[in-house]
């Protein structure tokens, strides 16, 4: 190998190393500016945008701003519905919702987790993990003994994500029946 080739390889390695450091600094700065809190009525439009992203992935649902807005408003006005949001520079970039139910099998409160979604430009940065950790913390503090969720069977990223958080498959399946529209 000539000195020119070695020098060229070193420059490529150095450039890659610098890029990795820059990305790491960006991610660290971004994560330091992300907060998790409760959704408010002021967040409804941004939450509908996130649901639009999610429902474009999931085959069982169709994006419909009017319906999603109504659903979010109902959740925000229901003491058994909680929506957590992640914010970056005061913009909503992620959300997760839970509904508190009573389980005869558990003999107490359980949570149904729905709508965990992070904006496309902020995925794979640990935000989904922060959101699900907030839900689990809430459940522990409020004597909720179990979290159940449904995931689109074709959304491999979601299934892998939940698996890394120790969510397990059950022998139950989901069935549904629509009324009205």
């Amino acid at each position: 190998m000539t000195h020119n080739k070695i020098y060229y390889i070193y420059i490529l390695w150095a450039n890659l190393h610098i890029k990795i450091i820059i990305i790491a600094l960006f991610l660290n700065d971004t994560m330091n500016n992300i907060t998790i809190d409760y959704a408010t009525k002021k967040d409804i439009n941004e939450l509908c945008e996130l649901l639009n992203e999610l429902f474009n992935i999931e085959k069982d649902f169709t994006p419909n701003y009017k319906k999603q807005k109504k659903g979010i408003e109902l959740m925000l006005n229901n003491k058994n519905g909680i929506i957590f949001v992640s914010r970056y520079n005061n913009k909503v970039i992620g959300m997760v919702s839970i509904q508190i139910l009573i389980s005869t099998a558990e003999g107490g409160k359980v949570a149904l987790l729905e709508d965990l979604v992070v904006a496309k430009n902020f995925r794979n940065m640990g935000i989904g993990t922060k959101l699900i950790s907030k839900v689990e913390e809430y459940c522990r503090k409020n004597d909720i003994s179990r979290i159940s969720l449904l995931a689109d069977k074709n959304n491999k990223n979601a299934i892998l994500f939940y698996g890394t958080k120790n969510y397990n498959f059950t022998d139950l399946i989901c069935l549904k029946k629509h009324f009205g529209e």
Side-chain angles (χ1 to χ4, degrees):
M1 205 182 260
T2 67
H3 290 293
N4 287 343
K5 285 183 182 176
I6 292 171
Y7 182 69
Y8 179 71
I9 291 170
Y10 175 75
I11 289 173
L12 287 176
W13 178 84
N15 283 337
L16 178 62
H17 187 68
I18 289 168
K19 286 177 186 174
I20 291 170
I21 290 171
I22 289 170
I23 290 168
L25 290 172
F26 170 76
L27 289 176
N28 189 39
D29 179 57
T30 300
M31 291 307 289
N32 287 336
N33 290 316
I34 291 175
T35 59
I36 308 287
D37 59 10
Y38 290 95
T40 68
K41 290 180 181 179
K42 291 184 271 182
D43 300 323
I44 291 174
N45 287 333
E46 291 174 294
L47 295 173
C48 287
E49 289 173 22
L50 287 169
L51 289 175
N52 183 60
E53 283 190 49
L54 179 63
F55 295 158
N56 274 307
I57 296 170
E58 295 182 343
K59 297 203 185 314
D60 280 357
F61 302 104
T62 303
N64 181 318
Y65 180 87
K66 187 176 176 182
K67 285 183 178 181
Q68 274 81 71
K69 182 176 188 248
K70 182 179 178 182
I72 291 167
E73 288 170 344
L74 288 169
M75 290 272 299
L76 292 174
N77 291 318
N78 182 334
K79 66 181 175 83
N80 291 317
I82 296 111
I83 303 173
F84 292 108
V85 294
S86 56
R87 299 179 197 279
Y88 176 69
N89 293 335
N90 296 316
K91 178 172 174 34
V92 174
I93 57 163
M95 68 175 285
V96 63
S97 65
I98 58 170
Q99 296 182 56
I100 310 306
L101 309 169
I102 303 298
S103 168
T104 55
E106 297 291 338
K109 296 184 291 186
V110 296
L112 175 62
L113 185 149
E114 292 189 309
D115 304 329
L116 175 58
V117 59
V118 175
K120 193 172 194 171
N121 292 340
F122 289 88
R123 291 183 187 155
N124 299 309
M125 299 172 77
I127 297 164
T129 297
K130 281 185 158 192
L131 284 165
I132 208 162
S133 293
K134 185 68 172 179
V135 165
E136 291 173 356
E137 175 188 325
Y138 178 89
C139 289
R140 282 187 196 95
K141 287 181 179 176
N142 289 280
D143 298 319
I144 297 168
S145 62
R146 181 186 74 216
I147 300 171
S148 298
L149 62 91
L150 298 172
D152 186 309
K153 66 182 179 182
N154 296 310
N155 189 342
K156 305 297 184 217
N157 289 334
I159 293 168
L160 287 171
F161 172 79
Y162 291 123
T164 66
K165 307 300 175 225
N166 297 316
Y167 285 78
N168 302 304
F169 288 99
T170 72
D171 290 327
L172 301 173
I173 61 168
C174 177
L175 304 170
K176 70 177 180 178
K177 180 177 183 177
H178 278 273
F179 298 97
E181 294 178 38

